[in-house]
């Protein structure tokens, strides 16, 4: 998911390291071996070997990435669940923030890296020179790399200086050698000061038991650090604690085993309960498609030119109606679903709209396949079989949560189960019977359908607004400007993708200048950003959003509307230090070009909105399996 | 087909969305891996409190032992450093060995204690060691059954 420009710093670092060292060994060391001592070059050689080993480990080792949470974990987190959860760590209250991209409350010291778009345990920072996050698992390698690198630089520089001093009588034979030595010396002198400074900084951090993230955001400036165990224990922890396993690799490996175990005990069930899923969960679960009416509200849908297939049209409208009904029921988005705009239970309904849109070109080949599968989907749907609907919508929701990429869209046509669009889960069960009969006798005329679709969003506008004004936001926010700015800032994050890379050099030095990047990279959690959450910010941000989407061709426009709004507008606990820099960074960001995610301008039609969100959801990178 | 099995797995995940119980991490002692032993109310009728607590406490013991900084971790650290980390390719770390023990333990607990009560304990490693979840075995079958039904519908069997 990283752009190729993200590889420039790491390539530069690796190239410089290898080239300079090789030149040193080839040109300078023979003379040193003879004239100074054979021990010295061999020491330098060994240190260089360790520097490279640590560099490679820091670059390629998983930093302690948390895999994204399944949707089933969201059960407890309905739309009224708070943005922050307090937990006590050694007597100190620590706030765990809800991560909208990863769908869990971030453990203490965990942070979401916007460059890599995942949450990292004990997040230190994202280092562009190794093009990797530095976290719990690879911090020691990074630290050793720095320390040994500075040591090497020191040695190389000092002794090369000595060499040149001795060679003050230039002989023809040595001219090349002297020149090369001079070049290597200047390179090492150039990098010695920053690397030494960074090494000292990290030495202090390790001794104090802090991460770069915590130091730079000033988390423990006034208070006490609950994660420190004393200098000696801290050093011991960093250097000698066992390396925790790669959790991403283990995800979903043993599901088959679980099924097997469950199957083997099928005879010992106490009682096969009637699936209580629908009645139990319907009241709790708020619908993710709540965001759908928001996007509709922003852009008044004009008449759609749907396919002249009545069956498909009916399905599409049924899904639409369901989503609208649910949006009225519970406006505040639960915010966990990536594709709340996909109200239909089948990808066919969304994809169906796609070819008509500006962005449909990529997906249009799939549409014919969708037509085939559509009629077959009708039967279970028209039965108003709660069970079937439930499972399908569950599966769709889940698969959408899994971040299926666009490449998975072909699968959608074959099987509705893998369709990455379904976001209706429980609320679809609420009105399956109620909705479908309303549409079955509908005249499948084109004009009627378009008129209906036109009316539906319009009708939905007022309930949406009403809902916003009625329900108090469960998210705490101190004042309007800050959350608004944070929501704006989070929305602009997709434009900001290249920013952490460009400013990475700044990041590595502990200065206030790095705070904006830090804020972007660490506090907000997502690549595609969520919209503002909470009533006032929501309105303002949505308004700003609509403007921005039209003017900037931003890919995040509808996608962020569809995403979890829970995290936006959070009271920033480091407001003090960051507010001036936030504004600076926001100004900078406002001039940034649109993000790299391709997105055509969202038109005012409703269908494209859904399809856009569908594609957006499809573009989310799939977690490693 | 391959995507069918994939769907099967996915449906299994989405099976018991309403009835899964999650045991969160206990962060009272900093970021060491420890799960809350507080008995959740949803399991009140399903399993005895003592059995549940014993399972969670044993898991906590396993993880505590895995993350302990002591003799073997020092040895592993120095050895790794000395061999320029090549040792990671050859040897399995202590943590990984204990993880295998944990998954065996969980499997055994499932077979002996939880599956007879219609519950399924999942390995926390699958969720990044953030939660331990108890799922309903009935929902597993439910999801499987409905998947098959839908697949039949789709493929017009």
């Amino acid at each position: 998911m990283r752009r190729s420009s993200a590889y420039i710093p790491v390539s530069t670092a690796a190239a410089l390291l290898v080239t300079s060292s090789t030149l040193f060994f080839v040109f300078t060391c023979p003379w040193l071996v003879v004239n100074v001592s054979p021990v010295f070059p061999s020491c330098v050689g060994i240190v260089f070997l360790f520097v490279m080993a640590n560099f490679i480990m820091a670059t390629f080792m998983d930093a302690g990435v948390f895999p994204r949470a399944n949707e089933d974990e969201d059960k407890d987190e309905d739309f009224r669940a708070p943005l922050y959860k307090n937990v006590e760590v050694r007597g100190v209250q620590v706030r765990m923030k809800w991560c909208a991209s990863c769908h869990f409350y971030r453990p203490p010291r965990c942070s979401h890296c916007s460059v890599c778009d995942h949450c990292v345990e004990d997040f230190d920072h994202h280092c562009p020179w190794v093009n990797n996050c530095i976290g719990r698992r690879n911090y020691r390698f990074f630290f050793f790399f720095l320390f040994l690198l500075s040591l090497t630089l020191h040695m190389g520089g000092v002794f090369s200086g000595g060499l040149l001093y001795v060679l003050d009588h230039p002989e023809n034979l040595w001219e090349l050698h002297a020149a090369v030595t001079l070049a290597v010396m200047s390179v090492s002198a150039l990098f010695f000061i920053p690397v030494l400074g960074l090494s000292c900084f990290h030495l202090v951090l390790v001794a104090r038991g802090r991460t770069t993230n915590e130091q730079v955001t000033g988390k423990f400036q006034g208070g006490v650090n609950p994660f420190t165990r004393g200098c000696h224990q801290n050093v011991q922890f960093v250097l000698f604690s066992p390396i925790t396993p790669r959790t991403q690799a283990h995800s979903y490996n043993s599901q088959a085993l679980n099924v097997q175990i469950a199957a083997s005990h099928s005879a010992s069930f106490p009682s096969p309960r009637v699936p209580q899923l629908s009645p139990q969960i319907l009241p709790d679960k708020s619908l993710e498609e709540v965001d759908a009416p928001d996007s509709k509200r922003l852009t008044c849908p004009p008449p759609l030119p749907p396919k002249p297939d009545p069956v498909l049209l009916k399905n599409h409208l049924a899904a639409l109606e369901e989503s609208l009904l649910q949006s009225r029921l519970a406006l505040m988005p639960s915010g966990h679903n990536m594709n709340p705009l996909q109200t239909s239970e089948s990808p066919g309904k969304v994809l169906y709209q796609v070819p008509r849109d500006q962005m449909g070109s990529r997906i249009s080949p799939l549409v014919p396949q969708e037509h085939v599968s559509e009629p077959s989907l009708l039967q279970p749907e028209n039965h108003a079989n709660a069970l079937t609907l439930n499972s399908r919508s569950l599966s769709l929701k889940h698969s959408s949560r899994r971040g299926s990429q666009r490449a998975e869209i072909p699968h959608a046509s074959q099987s509705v189960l893998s369709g990455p669009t379904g976001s209706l889960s429980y609320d679809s069960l609420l009105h399956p019977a109620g909705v479908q009969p309303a549409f079955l006798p509908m005249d499948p005329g084109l004009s009627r359908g378009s008129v209906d679709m036109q009316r539906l969003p319009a009708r939905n506008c007022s309930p949406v607004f009403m809902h916003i004004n009625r329900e108090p936001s469960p998210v705490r926010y101190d004042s309007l400007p800050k959350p608004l700015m944070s929501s704006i800032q989070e929305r602009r994050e997709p434009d900001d993708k290249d920013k952490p890379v460009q400013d990475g050099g700044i990041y590595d030095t502990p200065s206030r200048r790095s705070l904006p990047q830090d804020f972007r990279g660490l506090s907000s959690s997502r690549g595609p950003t969520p919209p503002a959450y909470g009533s006032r910010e929501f309105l303002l941000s949505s308004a700003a959003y609509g403007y921005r989407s039209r003017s900037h061709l931003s890919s995040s426009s509808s996608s962020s509307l569809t995403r979890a709004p829970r995290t936006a507008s959070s009271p920033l606990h480091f407001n003090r230090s960051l507010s001036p820099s936030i504004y600076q960074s926001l100004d900078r960001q406002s001039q940034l070009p649109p993000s790299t995610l391709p997105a055509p301008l969202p038109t005012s039609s409703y269908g494209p909105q859904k399809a856009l969100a569908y594609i957006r959801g499809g573009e989310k990178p799939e977690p490693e399996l | 087909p391959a995507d069918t099995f994939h769907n099967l797995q996915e449906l299994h995940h989405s099976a018991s969305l309403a009835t899964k119980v999650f045991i969160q991490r206990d962060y009272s002692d900093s970021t060491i891996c420890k799960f809350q032993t507080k008995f959740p109310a949803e399991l009140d009728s399903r399993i005895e409190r003592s059995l549940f607590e014993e399972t969670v406490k044993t898991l906590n013991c396993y993880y505590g032992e895995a993350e302990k900084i002591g003799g073997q971790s020092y040895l592993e650290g120095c050895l790794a450093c000395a061999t320029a980390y090549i040792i990671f390719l050859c040897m399995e770390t202590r943590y990984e060995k204990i993880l295998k023990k944990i998954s065996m333990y969980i499997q055994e607990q499932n077979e002996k204690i939880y599956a007879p009560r219609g519950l399924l304990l999942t390995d926390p490693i699958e969720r990044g060691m953030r939660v331990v979840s108890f799922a309903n075995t009935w929902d597993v079958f439910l999801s499987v059954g409905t998947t098959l039904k839908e697949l039949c519908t789709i493929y017009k069997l």
Side-chain angles (χ1 to χ4, degrees):
Chain A
M1 191 168 161
R2 297 180 201 182
R3 286 190 301 280
S4 52
S5 64
Y7 295 103
I8 292 174
V10 62
S11 324
T12 313
L16 270 175
L17 198 58
V18 173
T19 315
S20 313
S21 306
T22 314
L23 288 175
F24 177 78
F25 287 123
V26 167
F27 288 96
T28 315
C29 281
W31 187 88
L32 285 172
V33 168
V34 170
N35 289 57
V36 176
S37 152
V39 176
F40 171 65
S42 51
C43 284
V44 175
I46 291 171
V47 172
F48 171 68
L49 180 70
F50 280 106
V51 165
M52 284 311 294
N54 282 299
F55 178 73
I56 288 167
M57 291 296 274
T59 306
F60 294 110
M61 190 159 210
D62 182 297
V65 172
F66 284 115
R68 283 185 153 78
N70 280 341
E71 58 181 0
D72 46 16
E73 278 192 58
D74 286 347
K75 172 183 72 80
D76 296 330
E77 328 297 345
D78 62 358
F79 65 91
R80 287 193 178 276
L83 183 57
Y84 288 97
K85 229 188 205 180
N86 277 326
V87 74
E88 191 168 303
V89 177
R90 297 215 184 135
V92 176
Q93 286 286 322
V94 173
R95 239 175 11 176
M96 299 203 302
K97 189 176 176 183
W98 173 263
C99 183
S101 307
C102 305
H103 305 279
F104 51 78
Y105 284 98
R106 293 183 201 146
R109 301 196 114 176
C110 162
S111 191
H112 189 98
C113 175
S114 62
V115 178
C116 313
D117 195 27
H118 47 58
C119 273
V120 174
E121 192 177 359
D122 284 8
F123 182 76
D124 194 81
H125 66 283
H126 179 93
C127 181
W129 301 106
V130 297
N131 196 26
N132 194 13
C133 289
I134 306 297
R136 182 168 179 180
R137 296 181 79 237
N138 62 357
Y139 182 74
R140 75 194 67 190
F141 307 118
F142 177 76
F143 175 69
F144 277 137
F145 166 61
L146 279 182
F147 185 69
L148 294 175
L149 184 61
S150 54
L151 194 65
T152 313
L153 287 173
H154 168 79
M155 292 163 75
V158 164
F159 278 88
S160 296
L163 162 73
L164 214 58
Y165 175 79
V166 172
L167 281 182
D168 61 351
H169 53 284
E171 301 165 23
N172 279 344
L173 180 65
W174 294 99
E175 255 181 18
L176 171 67
H177 290 247
V180 168
T181 308
L182 195 62
V184 169
M185 235 186 67
S186 53
V187 165
S188 52
L190 181 70
F191 285 101
F192 175 65
I193 304 291
V195 172
L196 181 70
L198 201 55
S199 310
C200 294
F201 173 64
H202 279 278
L203 261 172
V204 170
L205 282 186
V206 167
R208 294 179 89 175
R210 294 186 185 184
T211 65
T212 306
N213 185 11
E214 289 162 357
Q215 175 71 29
V216 164
T217 57
K219 269 195 194 149
F220 306 125
Q221 256 174 13
V224 65
N225 182 359
F227 304 106
T228 181
R229 302 157 212 241
C231 177
H232 179 251
Q233 297 280 329
N234 290 338
V235 174
Q236 192 186 51
F237 178 76
V238 167
L239 300 186
F240 295 113
S241 66
I243 297 179
T244 51
R246 270 194 85 209
T247 50
Q248 277 215 320
H250 288 258
S251 296
Y252 312 123
N253 274 353
S254 66
Q255 290 313 303
L257 182 63
N258 282 345
V259 175
Q260 188 186 355
I261 291 172
S264 65
H265 288 269
S266 60
S268 57
F269 271 177
S271 62
R273 287 175 288 129
V274 172
Q276 304 160 350
L277 298 174
S278 21
Q280 276 178 7
I281 57 195
L282 287 169
D284 306 325
K285 192 77 177 168
S286 75
L287 190 50
E288 298 80 8
E289 296 87 1
V290 166
D291 292 329
D294 306 323
S295 64
K296 282 183 253 170
R297 181 170 47 79
L298 284 183
T299 64
C300 294
L304 284 171
K307 244 179 359 186
D309 189 337
V311 160
L312 288 166
L313 184 60
K314 265 187 271 178
N315 291 337
H316 186 67
L317 288 171
L320 258 179
E321 180 69 353
E322 284 175 69
S323 72
L324 292 172
L325 286 169
Q326 284 123 23
S327 70
R328 276 193 225 127
L329 285 172
L331 178 71
M332 282 311 171
S334 67
H336 307 312
N337 198 293
M338 297 188 312
N339 310 312
L341 273 187
Q342 293 111 35
T343 58
S344 69
E345 283 105 6
S346 96
K349 302 191 184 74
V350 178
L351 287 178
Y352 161 66
Q353 293 294 333
V354 169
R356 304 286 175 166
D357 308 328
Q358 300 157 6
M359 32 191 206
S361 54
R362 282 176 298 232
I363 315 204
S364 46
L366 300 171
V367 174
Q369 295 176 18
E370 280 301 314
H371 297 187
V372 173
S373 62
E374 271 296 275
S376 63
L377 296 174
L378 277 182
Q379 290 175 4
E381 224 177 333
N382 291 343
H383 290 161
N385 186 341
L387 191 60
T388 315
L389 216 71
N390 178 29
S391 62
R392 188 189 321 126
S393 52
L394 285 179
S395 66
L396 289 173
K397 183 184 173 206
H398 175 72
S399 52
S400 73
R401 282 285 308 274
R402 290 286 303 281
S404 49
Q405 301 193 3
R406 206 179 290 125
E408 283 190 21
I409 291 171
H411 293 286
S413 63
Q414 295 150 22
S415 150
V416 75
L417 303 170
S418 65
T421 62
S423 57
L424 277 183
S425 55
Y426 309 112
D427 292 288
S428 68
L429 298 173
L430 187 60
H431 302 279
V435 169
Q436 287 179 3
F439 282 94
L440 282 171
M442 189 186 69
D443 177 7
L446 271 182
S447 58
R448 183 75 99 61
S450 56
V451 163
D452 277 345
M453 294 174 80
Q454 206 177 7
R455 266 186 317 175
L456 289 173
R459 210 167 52 214
N460 195 52
C461 283
S462 44
V464 163
F465 275 106
M466 276 160 49
H467 255 83
I468 287 175
N469 295 331
R470 257 209 319 268
E471 296 189 19
S473 163
V475 175
R476 297 170 275 147
Y477 50 86
D478 300 324
S479 64
L480 187 55
K482 270 180 282 188
L484 177 61
M485 295 311 272
S486 73
S487 65
I488 292 173
Q489 120 91 35
E490 281 162 351
R491 271 202 308 284
R492 286 182 178 153
E493 268 189 31
D495 297 345
D496 206 24
K497 278 280 170 59
D498 46 359
K499 266 303 218 173
V501 178
Q502 293 164 10
D503 299 331
I506 302 174
Y507 201 111
D508 275 353
T509 58
S511 68
R512 278 305 177 91
R513 276 183 306 144
S514 66
L515 288 176
Q517 289 81 21
D518 181 350
F519 175 73
R520 275 196 300 278
L522 304 174
S523 69
S524 44
S525 57
R526 36 260 140 221
T529 56
Y533 185 51
S535 58
R536 283 183 286 165
E537 303 92 38
F538 188 84
L539 285 175
L540 286 162
S541 62
S542 308
Y545 222 74
Y547 170 74
R548 185 162 161 272
S549 70
R550 281 188 280 277
S551 59
H552 291 286
L553 282 169
S554 167
S555 65
S556 61
S557 57
S558 57
S559 66
S560 37
L561 280 177
T562 65
R563 293 216 185 269
R566 180 174 289 188
T567 58
S569 72
S570 57
L572 307 168
H573 61 276
F574 43 85
N575 276 339
R576 296 188 314 271
S577 55
L578 285 184
S579 30
S581 47
I582 289 173
Y583 288 94
Q584 288 170 22
S585 66
L586 286 170
D587 288 337
R588 239 175 305 142
Q589 289 171 49
S590 62
Q591 290 140 24
L592 285 173
S595 85
T596 53
L597 290 177
L601 179 65
T603 66
S604 51
S605 62
Y606 171 71
Q609 287 293 329
K610 277 179 69 169
L612 178 62
Y614 170 72
I615 293 171
R616 196 62 50 239
E619 281 176 1
K620 251 190 106 58
E622 204 169 57
E624 271 181 40
L625 288 181
Chain B
D3 57 341
T4 313
F5 180 65
H6 186 58
N7 300 335
L8 210 70
Q9 284 186 319
E10 287 184 339
L11 262 188
H12 170 254
H13 287 293
S14 61
S16 58
L17 296 178
T19 52
K20 264 194 183 155
V21 179
F22 293 100
I23 313 297
Q24 298 289 333
R25 279 268 292 270
D26 176 14
Y27 294 109
S28 59
D29 193 15
S30 189
T31 49
I32 62 168
C33 187
K34 204 174 155 199
F35 292 96
Q36 291 177 357
T37 52
K38 186 171 90 74
F39 188 66
E42 296 92 337
L43 292 180
D44 207 7
S45 53
R46 306 291 300 275
I47 186 119
E48 290 83 5
R49 186 183 287 258
S50 57
L51 285 171
F52 166 84
E53 278 179 5
E54 193 211 318
T55 306
V56 178
K57 280 188 182 144
T58 315
L59 279 178
N60 286 342
C61 277
Y62 272 120
Y63 283 116
E65 194 192 318
E67 294 191 348
K68 193 174 63 139
I69 304 174
Q72 187 151 2
S73 72
Y74 274 112
L75 186 67
E76 274 182 0
C78 293
L79 198 64
C81 213
T83 62
Y85 311 115
I86 296 173
I87 201 79
F88 287 140
L89 297 170
C90 318
M91 204 179 72
E92 194 183 48
T93 68
R94 185 159 159 269
Y95 209 120
E96 284 164 4
K97 288 192 189 118
I98 295 185
L99 277 183
K100 284 202 179 138
K101 272 201 241 171
I102 287 172
S103 72
M104 296 284 295
Y105 172 74
I106 287 178
Q107 197 180 332
E108 176 216 333
Q109 288 280 295
N110 270 332
E111 282 172 11
K112 278 201 219 155
I113 297 177
Y114 291 100
R117 289 166 175 78
L119 287 173
L120 206 59
L121 181 65
T122 64
D123 198 334
I125 191 81
E126 293 162 22
R127 294 173 184 271
M129 310 239 278
R130 291 179 298 105
V131 287
V132 177
S133 76
F134 285 92
N136 260 315
T137 46
W138 168 247
D139 298 321
V140 173
F141 292 112
L142 190 65
S143 66
V144 172
T146 47
T147 314
L148 290 174
K149 182 174 178 182
E150 294 201 21
L151 285 174
C152 289
T153 318
I154 289 163
Y155 292 109
K156 299 189 174 85
L157 295 173

